[in-house]
Every structure is written in structure tokens, then in C-alpha cells.
Amino acid sequence: MAGQPFEVISQHRCFGGTVGFYRHEAASTACAMRFAVFTPAQAKSAPVPVLYYLAGLTCTEETFMIKAGAQRVAAELGLMLVAPDTSPRGLQLPGDSDSWDFGVGAGFYVDATVEPWSRHYRMYSYVTQELRTLIEAHFPAQAQRTGIFGHSMGGHGALTIALRNPGRYRSVSAFAPISAPRRCPWGQKAFSGYLGADQGQWAAHDASELAAGLTDGPQRPPILVDQGLADQFLEAQLHPHLLEEAARKSGLRLTLRRHEGYDHGYYFISSFMEDHLRHHARQLGV
């Protein structure tokens, strides 16, 4: 990692590999951004497949690495894990900290087109271009073996990014994703704020609408989604049935598993994390 364009905040030995937390000046968001990487021991001898995790509302780059319990299985499988922050921070834009579901910690993985958000809130470009370029240039990651997954807002991000970039992400999954953001309060608030009143722009960031419109659904990578049935946001915000209907329409291979008693948090996520990592490993040829 010689000549690295980022600062090492901290590094920690973990299951034979390393969890590192980093900061860099990001051009896409015009501010400093943080990200975390788990590098397995296998990367000492050769580049390894890389899996991006997008976290949900209010989370940071630390949340996944601390709470998800992913490193043990990732170490076994030889998977690199990358977790970006969920939004730009420290900008003090008008209203960016007024609510927990918009602004700081709530970038929604879109490129904003409305002021004052459009200069900095460009998380779609940050995740799909700038961060990925940095990881592939300075970490032992195999660019051609890349997957993406996430939770809630991050599940929305993972699904839409994978659906919009066929071939660039060979595997995809989600925990309790916001499956139809155009049809729920969280998505409507975020999209109207970041993208404006023109709902034509919104459809490009709605997983259910993207899935329904596919002409090559059966050829896309299979998607694994887990949803807890005790999730307090299930009825009002998540709408996994709409993603299910869209996948059925287009032939997209979707496995949607519903789990009695599980809520929206990281106890749920950690319970099924191993299944997701093994799902990705199969698609990435591990």
C-alpha cells in the first residue's frame, strides 16, 4: 500500500487477518470520507475477492465491522470486506442534522441533484467509482470478483447498484432492504430532498422498479434477501413483497426468506450473516 492516498486511523488483528479503519479526501463528495476494510490472511499471497457492505440509516463505517460478526467466515472463505460510511460528514449543510432519516448518516446511495446536497451527497458515485477504484489500486482485491450487500437503506443501495451495473457485481444480497423506496416514507423523504420533485429520477433508485423492468432477469446473479417478520419497519417502509412480485415478473432469481421473531437489528443480521457470505462465495467462485 505504498504511496497510499488515505490515512490509517487504526488497524486490528482479527481471525488471522486485519480490520482497518481509514480516512481519505474524496473527490466525489468533496469532503473527507471514512471506510473500513477486513483483509483476510489469504491476501498475503494473492489478491482475493472483495465484498462491499452498505450500512443502514444512522450507521457509520464501523457498524458492520463491530456488530455483524462477519470476519470469522470471511477469513475462512478468503473474502475481503469493505464498508464505507453512510454519508458525507462535517459539512454542516442547512438541515443536515435535523432528522435521523435524512442528511448525515442517511445518504441513501444516490447522487443528489438538488442544492445544497448535489455537491457532496454523491454516495452512488462514491461507492461505485471512487471507493472501488481506491480499493482495487491499494488493497489486494480482485476487481473481477466483486460482490455487494447491505442492510435496510444499505440493502436498497446494494440492490439498486447491482441491478444498475450488470457485470460489475457478480453477487448481491440484502438484509431487510428498503425494497420500493418510491412507495415508502423513508424513500419519499430522501428522494424528494436529494433528487427533487421529478419522480422520473426516482425510478432509477428503486429496486422493485428496476427488477420489474429487466429484460435479462434469468441471466442476472441470484439474489438472497432475508427479512425478519418482527421487524418494526416491515409494513410501512420495507415492502419486500413488491420486490418479490417484480422478480417474478422479470424472471430475476430471488430467494426471499422470511423469519419469525426476528427484528430489524444486528442480532438478526448476525444470525444469517454466514448464509450471506457463503452465498457470495459461491457466486464469486470461492
mmCIF file of all heavy atoms in Angstrom, residues 143-183:
data_model
loop_
_atom_site.group_PDB
_atom_site.id
_atom_site.type_symbol
_atom_site.label_atom_id
_atom_site.label_comp_id
_atom_site.label_asym_id
_atom_site.label_seq_id
_atom_site.Cartn_x
_atom_site.Cartn_y
_atom_site.Cartn_z
ATOM 1 N N ALA A 143 -10.570 -7.299 -8.818
ATOM 2 C CA ALA A 143 -11.625 -6.445 -9.362
ATOM 3 C C ALA A 143 -12.721 -7.238 -10.056
ATOM 4 O O ALA A 143 -13.905 -6.882 -9.994
ATOM 5 C CB ALA A 143 -11.019 -5.432 -10.327
ATOM 6 N N GLN A 144 -12.349 -8.329 -10.723
ATOM 7 C CA GLN A 144 -13.327 -9.097 -11.492
ATOM 8 C C GLN A 144 -14.167 -10.011 -10.615
ATOM 9 O O GLN A 144 -15.105 -10.662 -11.102
ATOM 10 C CB GLN A 144 -12.619 -9.921 -12.578
ATOM 11 C CG GLN A 144 -11.809 -11.110 -12.067
ATOM 12 C CD GLN A 144 -10.411 -10.737 -11.604
ATOM 13 O OE1 GLN A 144 -10.124 -9.582 -11.301
ATOM 14 N NE2 GLN A 144 -9.527 -11.724 -11.559
ATOM 15 N N ARG A 145 -13.871 -10.063 -9.331
ATOM 16 C CA ARG A 145 -14.638 -10.903 -8.409
ATOM 17 C C ARG A 145 -15.138 -10.021 -7.266
ATOM 18 O O ARG A 145 -14.625 -10.046 -6.157
ATOM 19 C CB ARG A 145 -13.792 -12.069 -7.895
ATOM 20 C CG ARG A 145 -13.325 -12.994 -9.005
ATOM 21 C CD ARG A 145 -12.278 -13.964 -8.529
ATOM 22 N NE ARG A 145 -12.845 -15.073 -7.764
ATOM 23 C CZ ARG A 145 -12.110 -15.973 -7.107
ATOM 24 N NH1 ARG A 145 -10.776 -15.860 -7.096
ATOM 25 N NH2 ARG A 145 -12.694 -16.962 -6.445
ATOM 26 N N THR A 146 -16.144 -9.208 -7.575
ATOM 27 C CA THR A 146 -16.674 -8.214 -6.645
ATOM 28 C C THR A 146 -18.154 -8.455 -6.409
ATOM 29 O O THR A 146 -18.915 -8.673 -7.357
ATOM 30 C CB THR A 146 -16.464 -6.790 -7.205
ATOM 31 O OG1 THR A 146 -15.066 -6.538 -7.343
ATOM 32 C CG2 THR A 146 -17.071 -5.748 -6.276
ATOM 33 N N GLY A 147 -18.554 -8.395 -5.135
ATOM 34 C CA GLY A 147 -19.960 -8.503 -4.774
ATOM 35 C C GLY A 147 -20.375 -7.352 -3.888
ATOM 36 O O GLY A 147 -19.543 -6.560 -3.424
ATOM 37 N N ILE A 148 -21.683 -7.261 -3.631
ATOM 38 C CA ILE A 148 -22.194 -6.154 -2.823
ATOM 39 C C ILE A 148 -23.419 -6.623 -2.044
ATOM 40 O O ILE A 148 -24.227 -7.408 -2.543
ATOM 41 C CB ILE A 148 -22.528 -4.931 -3.714
ATOM 42 C CG1 ILE A 148 -22.787 -3.681 -2.877
ATOM 43 C CG2 ILE A 148 -23.683 -5.229 -4.677
ATOM 44 C CD1 ILE A 148 -22.778 -2.387 -3.700
ATOM 45 N N PHE A 149 -23.529 -6.168 -0.793
ATOM 46 C CA PHE A 149 -24.705 -6.456 0.015
ATOM 47 C C PHE A 149 -24.888 -5.348 1.029
ATOM 48 O O PHE A 149 -24.070 -4.441 1.134
ATOM 49 C CB PHE A 149 -24.638 -7.849 0.657
ATOM 50 C CG PHE A 149 -23.607 -8.089 1.743
ATOM 51 C CD1 PHE A 149 -23.894 -9.003 2.754
ATOM 52 C CD2 PHE A 149 -22.355 -7.480 1.759
ATOM 53 C CE1 PHE A 149 -22.968 -9.287 3.763
ATOM 54 C CE2 PHE A 149 -21.428 -7.761 2.747
ATOM 55 C CZ PHE A 149 -21.747 -8.665 3.771
ATOM 56 N N GLY A 150 -26.019 -5.379 1.753
ATOM 57 C CA GLY A 150 -26.268 -4.299 2.693
ATOM 58 C C GLY A 150 -27.535 -4.538 3.484
ATOM 59 O O GLY A 150 -28.251 -5.529 3.284
ATOM 60 N N HIS A 151 -27.825 -3.582 4.368
ATOM 61 C CA HIS A 151 -28.948 -3.691 5.303
ATOM 62 C C HIS A 151 -29.821 -2.448 5.209
ATOM 63 O O HIS A 151 -29.317 -1.325 5.222
ATOM 64 C CB HIS A 151 -28.403 -3.833 6.729
ATOM 65 C CG HIS A 151 -29.435 -3.662 7.801
ATOM 66 N ND1 HIS A 151 -29.297 -2.748 8.835
ATOM 67 C CD2 HIS A 151 -30.627 -4.271 8.005
ATOM 68 C CE1 HIS A 151 -30.348 -2.825 9.630
ATOM 69 N NE2 HIS A 151 -31.173 -3.730 9.152
ATOM 70 N N SER A 152 -31.136 -2.636 5.112
ATOM 71 C CA SER A 152 -32.108 -1.556 5.181
ATOM 72 C C SER A 152 -31.835 -0.519 4.090
ATOM 73 O O SER A 152 -31.902 -0.838 2.909
ATOM 74 C CB SER A 152 -32.115 -0.947 6.589
ATOM 75 O OG SER A 152 -33.234 -0.121 6.798
ATOM 76 N N MET A 153 -31.476 0.716 4.441
ATOM 77 C CA MET A 153 -31.078 1.689 3.432
ATOM 78 C C MET A 153 -29.929 1.140 2.594
ATOM 79 O O MET A 153 -29.865 1.348 1.373
ATOM 80 C CB MET A 153 -30.670 3.001 4.094
ATOM 81 C CG MET A 153 -30.137 4.057 3.126
ATOM 82 S SD MET A 153 -29.538 5.554 3.957
ATOM 83 C CE MET A 153 -27.996 4.962 4.703
ATOM 84 N N GLY A 154 -29.004 0.441 3.230
ATOM 85 C CA GLY A 154 -27.883 -0.155 2.507
ATOM 86 C C GLY A 154 -28.293 -1.347 1.663
ATOM 87 O O GLY A 154 -27.667 -1.631 0.637
ATOM 88 N N GLY A 155 -29.342 -2.059 2.087
ATOM 89 C CA GLY A 155 -29.880 -3.112 1.238
ATOM 90 C C GLY A 155 -30.474 -2.532 -0.032
ATOM 91 O O GLY A 155 -30.285 -3.071 -1.132
ATOM 92 N N HIS A 156 -31.190 -1.411 0.120
ATOM 93 C CA HIS A 156 -31.665 -0.660 -1.057
ATOM 94 C C HIS A 156 -30.490 -0.294 -1.951
ATOM 95 O O HIS A 156 -30.529 -0.503 -3.178
ATOM 96 C CB HIS A 156 -32.409 0.595 -0.602
ATOM 97 C CG HIS A 156 -32.102 1.834 -1.363
ATOM 98 N ND1 HIS A 156 -32.585 2.093 -2.631
ATOM 99 C CD2 HIS A 156 -31.308 2.897 -1.037
ATOM 100 C CE1 HIS A 156 -32.115 3.265 -3.056
ATOM 101 N NE2 HIS A 156 -31.348 3.767 -2.105
ATOM 102 N N GLY A 157 -29.424 0.244 -1.352
ATOM 103 C CA GLY A 157 -28.263 0.643 -2.141
ATOM 104 C C GLY A 157 -27.623 -0.524 -2.863
ATOM 105 O O GLY A 157 -27.282 -0.434 -4.050
ATOM 106 N N ALA A 158 -27.451 -1.639 -2.157
ATOM 107 C CA ALA A 158 -26.818 -2.805 -2.765
ATOM 108 C C ALA A 158 -27.639 -3.340 -3.936
ATOM 109 O O ALA A 158 -27.092 -3.652 -5.003
ATOM 110 C CB ALA A 158 -26.615 -3.888 -1.711
ATOM 111 N N LEU A 159 -28.937 -3.457 -3.743
ATOM 112 C CA LEU A 159 -29.791 -3.976 -4.809
ATOM 113 C C LEU A 159 -29.784 -3.070 -6.030
ATOM 114 O O LEU A 159 -29.639 -3.527 -7.172
ATOM 115 C CB LEU A 159 -31.215 -4.151 -4.295
ATOM 116 C CG LEU A 159 -31.440 -5.236 -3.233
ATOM 117 C CD1 LEU A 159 -32.866 -5.163 -2.698
ATOM 118 C CD2 LEU A 159 -31.145 -6.621 -3.782
ATOM 119 N N THR A 160 -29.953 -1.766 -5.813
ATOM 120 C CA THR A 160 -30.023 -0.854 -6.962
ATOM 121 C C THR A 160 -28.685 -0.745 -7.675
ATOM 122 O O THR A 160 -28.630 -0.711 -8.907
ATOM 123 C CB THR A 160 -30.508 0.542 -6.528
ATOM 124 O OG1 THR A 160 -29.657 1.053 -5.493
ATOM 125 C CG2 THR A 160 -31.931 0.485 -6.019
ATOM 126 N N ILE A 161 -27.599 -0.719 -6.911
ATOM 127 C CA ILE A 161 -26.270 -0.655 -7.536
ATOM 128 C C ILE A 161 -26.012 -1.902 -8.370
ATOM 129 O O ILE A 161 -25.520 -1.823 -9.504
ATOM 130 C CB ILE A 161 -25.194 -0.441 -6.464
ATOM 131 C CG1 ILE A 161 -25.226 1.014 -5.979
ATOM 132 C CG2 ILE A 161 -23.806 -0.798 -6.998
ATOM 133 C CD1 ILE A 161 -24.352 1.289 -4.764
ATOM 134 N N ALA A 162 -26.329 -3.075 -7.829
ATOM 135 C CA ALA A 162 -26.109 -4.309 -8.582
ATOM 136 C C ALA A 162 -26.993 -4.366 -9.822
ATOM 137 O O ALA A 162 -26.543 -4.755 -10.912
ATOM 138 C CB ALA A 162 -26.374 -5.513 -7.688
ATOM 139 N N LEU A 163 -28.261 -3.967 -9.684
ATOM 140 C CA LEU A 163 -29.173 -4.024 -10.818
ATOM 141 C C LEU A 163 -28.799 -3.025 -11.910
ATOM 142 O O LEU A 163 -29.009 -3.278 -13.103
ATOM 143 C CB LEU A 163 -30.607 -3.773 -10.346
ATOM 144 C CG LEU A 163 -31.220 -4.890 -9.488
ATOM 145 C CD1 LEU A 163 -32.534 -4.428 -8.866
ATOM 146 C CD2 LEU A 163 -31.430 -6.155 -10.312
ATOM 147 N N ARG A 164 -28.230 -1.891 -11.511
ATOM 148 C CA ARG A 164 -27.862 -0.865 -12.490
ATOM 149 C C ARG A 164 -26.495 -1.098 -13.130
ATOM 150 O O ARG A 164 -26.169 -0.426 -14.124
ATOM 151 C CB ARG A 164 -27.874 0.515 -11.825
ATOM 152 C CG ARG A 164 -29.261 1.001 -11.463
ATOM 153 C CD ARG A 164 -29.215 2.386 -10.849
ATOM 154 N NE ARG A 164 -28.660 3.374 -11.765
ATOM 155 C CZ ARG A 164 -28.496 4.671 -11.457
ATOM 156 N NH1 ARG A 164 -28.863 5.105 -10.268
ATOM 157 N NH2 ARG A 164 -27.996 5.510 -12.338
ATOM 158 N N ASN A 165 -25.724 -2.016 -12.569
ATOM 159 C CA ASN A 165 -24.357 -2.235 -13.063
ATOM 160 C C ASN A 165 -24.118 -3.711 -13.366
ATOM 161 O O ASN A 165 -23.282 -4.366 -12.735
ATOM 162 C CB ASN A 165 -23.348 -1.736 -12.026
ATOM 163 C CG ASN A 165 -23.383 -0.236 -11.842
ATOM 164 O OD1 ASN A 165 -22.730 0.505 -12.571
ATOM 165 N ND2 ASN A 165 -24.166 0.219 -10.868
ATOM 166 N N PRO A 166 -24.857 -4.258 -14.333
ATOM 167 C CA PRO A 166 -24.691 -5.678 -14.648
ATOM 168 C C PRO A 166 -23.262 -5.986 -15.089
ATOM 169 O O PRO A 166 -22.668 -5.240 -15.858
ATOM 170 C CB PRO A 166 -25.690 -5.901 -15.788
ATOM 171 C CG PRO A 166 -25.904 -4.544 -16.390
ATOM 172 C CD PRO A 166 -25.810 -3.588 -15.241
ATOM 173 N N GLY A 167 -22.730 -7.053 -14.556
ATOM 174 C CA GLY A 167 -21.373 -7.447 -14.903
ATOM 175 C C GLY A 167 -20.319 -6.920 -13.956
ATOM 176 O O GLY A 167 -19.255 -7.522 -13.816
ATOM 177 N N ARG A 168 -20.591 -5.805 -13.297
ATOM 178 C CA ARG A 168 -19.595 -5.231 -12.391
ATOM 179 C C ARG A 168 -19.683 -5.829 -10.995
ATOM 180 O O ARG A 168 -18.714 -5.771 -10.238
ATOM 181 C CB ARG A 168 -19.754 -3.713 -12.302
ATOM 182 C CG ARG A 168 -19.451 -2.977 -13.595
ATOM 183 C CD ARG A 168 -19.171 -1.507 -13.329
ATOM 184 N NE ARG A 168 -17.894 -1.329 -12.651
ATOM 185 C CZ ARG A 168 -17.666 -0.410 -11.719
ATOM 186 N NH1 ARG A 168 -18.642 0.383 -11.319
ATOM 187 N NH2 ARG A 168 -16.478 -0.300 -11.161
ATOM 188 N N TYR A 169 -20.844 -6.370 -10.650
ATOM 189 C CA TYR A 169 -21.030 -7.021 -9.351
ATOM 190 C C TYR A 169 -21.549 -8.431 -9.620
ATOM 191 O O TYR A 169 -22.647 -8.623 -10.120
ATOM 192 C CB TYR A 169 -22.007 -6.217 -8.482
ATOM 193 C CG TYR A 169 -21.477 -4.844 -8.153
ATOM 194 C CD1 TYR A 169 -21.754 -3.759 -8.978
ATOM 195 C CD2 TYR A 169 -20.659 -4.640 -7.037
ATOM 196 C CE1 TYR A 169 -21.235 -2.500 -8.699
ATOM 197 C CE2 TYR A 169 -20.149 -3.384 -6.749
ATOM 198 C CZ TYR A 169 -20.435 -2.318 -7.584
ATOM 199 O OH TYR A 169 -19.921 -1.078 -7.311
ATOM 200 N N ARG A 170 -20.746 -9.412 -9.267
ATOM 201 C CA ARG A 170 -21.073 -10.799 -9.584
ATOM 202 C C ARG A 170 -21.963 -11.445 -8.529
ATOM 203 O O ARG A 170 -22.446 -12.565 -8.733
ATOM 204 C CB ARG A 170 -19.782 -11.609 -9.753
ATOM 205 C CG ARG A 170 -19.074 -11.345 -11.065
ATOM 206 C CD ARG A 170 -17.780 -12.114 -11.195
ATOM 207 N NE ARG A 170 -17.918 -13.543 -10.908
ATOM 208 C CZ ARG A 170 -16.909 -14.391 -10.914
ATOM 209 N NH1 ARG A 170 -15.670 -13.950 -11.174
ATOM 210 N NH2 ARG A 170 -17.091 -15.671 -10.642
ATOM 211 N N SER A 171 -22.158 -10.783 -7.402
ATOM 212 C CA SER A 171 -23.018 -11.337 -6.357
ATOM 213 C C SER A 171 -23.704 -10.201 -5.617
ATOM 214 O O SER A 171 -23.166 -9.097 -5.510
ATOM 215 C CB SER A 171 -22.204 -12.190 -5.379
ATOM 216 O OG SER A 171 -21.217 -11.410 -4.709
ATOM 217 N N VAL A 172 -24.919 -10.494 -5.092
ATOM 218 C CA VAL A 172 -25.677 -9.456 -4.393
ATOM 219 C C VAL A 172 -26.613 -10.114 -3.390
ATOM 220 O O VAL A 172 -27.148 -11.203 -3.633
ATOM 221 C CB VAL A 172 -26.469 -8.575 -5.393
ATOM 222 C CG1 VAL A 172 -27.419 -9.413 -6.232
ATOM 223 C CG2 VAL A 172 -27.223 -7.472 -4.681
ATOM 224 N N SER A 173 -26.779 -9.461 -2.245
ATOM 225 C CA SER A 173 -27.753 -9.909 -1.251
ATOM 226 C C SER A 173 -28.128 -8.723 -0.382
ATOM 227 O O SER A 173 -27.514 -7.653 -0.457
ATOM 228 C CB SER A 173 -27.196 -11.053 -0.397
ATOM 229 O OG SER A 173 -26.200 -10.597 0.504
ATOM 230 N N ALA A 174 -29.151 -8.920 0.472
ATOM 231 C CA ALA A 174 -29.601 -7.823 1.331
ATOM 232 C C ALA A 174 -30.316 -8.360 2.557
ATOM 233 O O ALA A 174 -30.974 -9.405 2.512
ATOM 234 C CB ALA A 174 -30.531 -6.885 0.557
ATOM 235 N N PHE A 175 -30.181 -7.616 3.643
ATOM 236 C CA PHE A 175 -30.934 -7.845 4.866
ATOM 237 C C PHE A 175 -31.990 -6.748 4.988
ATOM 238 O O PHE A 175 -31.653 -5.554 4.996
ATOM 239 C CB PHE A 175 -30.025 -7.782 6.094
ATOM 240 C CG PHE A 175 -28.929 -8.810 6.133
ATOM 241 C CD1 PHE A 175 -27.672 -8.527 5.619
ATOM 242 C CD2 PHE A 175 -29.140 -10.055 6.695
ATOM 243 C CE1 PHE A 175 -26.653 -9.464 5.668
ATOM 244 C CE2 PHE A 175 -28.128 -11.000 6.752
ATOM 245 C CZ PHE A 175 -26.884 -10.708 6.231
ATOM 246 N N ALA A 176 -33.260 -7.138 5.087
ATOM 247 C CA ALA A 176 -34.352 -6.187 5.315
ATOM 248 C C ALA A 176 -34.207 -4.916 4.479
ATOM 249 O O ALA A 176 -34.218 -3.803 5.015
ATOM 250 C CB ALA A 176 -34.431 -5.837 6.793
ATOM 251 N N PRO A 177 -34.065 -5.040 3.160
ATOM 252 C CA PRO A 177 -33.854 -3.842 2.339
ATOM 253 C C PRO A 177 -35.102 -2.987 2.208
ATOM 254 O O PRO A 177 -36.230 -3.483 2.297
ATOM 255 C CB PRO A 177 -33.468 -4.427 0.975
ATOM 256 C CG PRO A 177 -34.205 -5.734 0.930
ATOM 257 C CD PRO A 177 -34.135 -6.269 2.341
ATOM 258 N N ILE A 178 -34.898 -1.694 1.985
ATOM 259 C CA ILE A 178 -35.989 -0.823 1.544
ATOM 260 C C ILE A 178 -36.212 -1.164 0.079
ATOM 261 O O ILE A 178 -35.503 -0.688 -0.806
ATOM 262 C CB ILE A 178 -35.630 0.659 1.726
ATOM 263 C CG1 ILE A 178 -35.246 0.956 3.174
ATOM 264 C CG2 ILE A 178 -36.790 1.546 1.296
ATOM 265 C CD1 ILE A 178 -34.696 2.351 3.388
ATOM 266 N N SER A 179 -37.174 -2.023 -0.182
ATOM 267 C CA SER A 179 -37.299 -2.647 -1.500
ATOM 268 C C SER A 179 -38.000 -1.783 -2.533
ATOM 269 O O SER A 179 -37.818 -1.996 -3.734
ATOM 270 C CB SER A 179 -38.058 -3.971 -1.372
ATOM 271 O OG SER A 179 -37.323 -4.902 -0.604
ATOM 272 N N ALA A 180 -38.811 -0.844 -2.077
ATOM 273 C CA ALA A 180 -39.572 0.007 -3.006
ATOM 274 C C ALA A 180 -39.594 1.426 -2.456
ATOM 275 O O ALA A 180 -40.638 1.921 -2.024
ATOM 276 C CB ALA A 180 -40.982 -0.541 -3.189
ATOM 277 N N PRO A 181 -38.460 2.134 -2.463
ATOM 278 C CA PRO A 181 -38.383 3.435 -1.799
ATOM 279 C C PRO A 181 -39.342 4.484 -2.351
ATOM 280 O O PRO A 181 -39.734 5.399 -1.622
ATOM 281 C CB PRO A 181 -36.921 3.849 -1.989
ATOM 282 C CG PRO A 181 -36.392 2.980 -3.077
ATOM 283 C CD PRO A 181 -37.158 1.705 -3.001
ATOM 284 N N ARG A 182 -39.741 4.365 -3.610
ATOM 285 C CA ARG A 182 -40.709 5.341 -4.136
ATOM 286 C C ARG A 182 -42.068 5.217 -3.447
ATOM 287 O O ARG A 182 -42.890 6.134 -3.530
ATOM 288 C CB ARG A 182 -40.906 5.125 -5.642
ATOM 289 C CG ARG A 182 -39.724 5.537 -6.485
ATOM 290 C CD ARG A 182 -40.139 6.302 -7.721
ATOM 291 N NE ARG A 182 -40.991 5.548 -8.630
ATOM 292 C CZ ARG A 182 -41.571 6.084 -9.701
ATOM 293 N NH1 ARG A 182 -41.409 7.362 -9.981
ATOM 294 N NH2 ARG A 182 -42.319 5.339 -10.490
ATOM 295 N N ARG A 183 -42.288 4.105 -2.749
ATOM 296 C CA ARG A 183 -43.599 3.829 -2.170
ATOM 297 C C ARG A 183 -43.549 3.713 -0.651
ATOM 298 O O ARG A 183 -44.418 3.079 -0.052
ATOM 299 C CB ARG A 183 -44.169 2.546 -2.800
ATOM 300 C CG ARG A 183 -44.389 2.725 -4.294
ATOM 301 C CD ARG A 183 -44.697 1.433 -5.000
ATOM 302 N NE ARG A 183 -45.998 0.878 -4.634
ATOM 303 C CZ ARG A 183 -46.518 -0.195 -5.212
ATOM 304 N NH1 ARG A 183 -45.864 -0.821 -6.187
ATOM 305 N NH2 ARG A 183 -47.696 -0.653 -4.816
#
